[in-house]
Amino acid sequence: ALYVFLKEIVHRLENKGYGEVILDEICELIVGGQQGAQGQSEDVKMVMYDIPEHLEYPVVINTLKSHNRVGAKLWEASLFIVEVCFHLRSHIYQKKLLELGTGVGNSGLLIAAHKAIKPSQLTLTDFAPEVLQNLQYNIDRSKQQRERKFNLGTDSSSFTKVNSAVYLDWTLADTMDVTGELSNVDVVL
């Protein structure tokens, strides 16, 4: 009930032109309270995408405000990547995707949750330890959202398999021994 109430308030404020600032403030208050209660850092910003006509389940993304690396923030271009993948979905459907420099995982996790794109597998990569830790947290949160919505337990075979956050410094790719999840992909983002 609280979620629906807050969503309606945010929707009304956005329609009046207050935009993302209000949503950020509300999310910061909610997440800040939850983070403080769990003893974690209060420098986390949460963004939730719940678009029933496009996503099979909500996607929750945490960014790190105090972490001054490009991989810890939300890039608007990540939504453009999702849009491009939607338009090219016939080339992505049931394919194995590898995303380079995933950062917080926004584009990859939205692609995994999208009703029409449906890759069979998605490997999300980055190289900074703090970014990988936050990315794994976001992957786990999205899996929890999916399981909660569909009461899946451990059976999630009909959904895109999202691998754990994988270390990859793509500037050194020519010298790396690329095996496993990184070696067998159809599409690189």
Side-chain angles (χ1 to χ4, degrees), residues 61-125:
I61 301 292
N62 283 327
T63 62
L64 306 173
K65 291 194 287 186
S66 65
H67 187 65
N68 195 21
R69 294 188 186 212
V70 295
K73 63 188 227 176
L74 194 62
W75 291 90
E76 289 181 24
S78 64
L79 298 176
F80 177 71
I81 291 171
V82 176
E83 186 175 334
V84 168
C85 288
F86 173 75
H87 290 291
L88 298 174
R89 62 189 175 274
S90 63
H91 301 285
I92 295 173
Y93 183 79
Q94 293 301 304
K95 302 283 186 193
K96 294 178 182 176
L97 271 62
L98 170 68
E99 185 176 14
L100 302 176
T102 302
V104 295
N106 196 46
S107 54
L109 293 173
L110 286 171
I111 288 167
H114 202 286
K115 291 179 178 179
I117 301 174
K118 294 288 218 184
S120 63
Q121 179 177 306
L122 183 62
T123 301
L124 305 176
T125 68

